[in-house]
């Protein structure tokens, strides 16, 4: 069965860095685009970043552009998110999500583009 397992969250001070990982299994990871989506306390889900199946295309929400970097290792079936210059507004649960169809790509995906989500990892940015 499809599994997406996030890790790497934690407590970090403003200006600090974290690297999130998402381990994928149960499907042909290299043929599916993937995204990171986050949810701040009491707020709606917010798309953060997306990467195409071969890693050649990426896109970011304006709120994280220039600070976050998405990447993937198809050989290891792993998705990553390097987060630098973290701000308190980056606090939330971060989820990785798999696009529904092979080779599907959308620079600005919506929740309807995904069919599987991980359980999430908590990121807290606070002094």
């Amino acid at each position: 069965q499809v599994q997406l397992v996030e890790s790497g969250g934690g407590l970090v001070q403003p200006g600090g860095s974290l690297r999130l990982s998402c381990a994928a299994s149960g499907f042909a990871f290299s043929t599916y685009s993937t995204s990171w989506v986050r949810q701040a306390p009491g707020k709606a889900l917010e798309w953060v970043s997306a990467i195409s199946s071969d890693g050649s295309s990426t896109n970011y929400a304006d709120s994280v552009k220039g600070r976050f970097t998405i990447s993937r290792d198809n050989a290891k079936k792993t998705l990553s998110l390097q987060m630098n210059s973290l701000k308190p507004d980056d606090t939330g649960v971060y989820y990785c999500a798999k696009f529904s169809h092979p080779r599907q790509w959308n620079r600005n995906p919506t929740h309807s583009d995904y069919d599987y989500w991980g359980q999430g990892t908590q990121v807290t940015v606070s002094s």
Side-chain angles (χ1 to χ4, degrees), residues 66-109:
R67 300 187 297 120
F68 290 11
T69 303
I70 191 171
S71 62
R72 64 190 295 154
D73 185 332
N74 284 343
K76 295 183 178 180
K77 299 184 178 182
T78 301
L79 175 71
S80 298
L81 186 69
Q82 178 66 42
M83 306 188 296
N84 298 329
S85 302
L86 283 161
K87 305 175 181 180
D89 284 351
D90 295 318
T91 294
V93 179
Y94 283 69
Y95 302 91
C96 59
K98 166 189 170 291
F99 279 60
S100 301
H101 306 291
R103 311 297 180 191
Q104 176 188 0
W105 174 240
N106 184 349
R107 284 181 52 83
N108 295 287

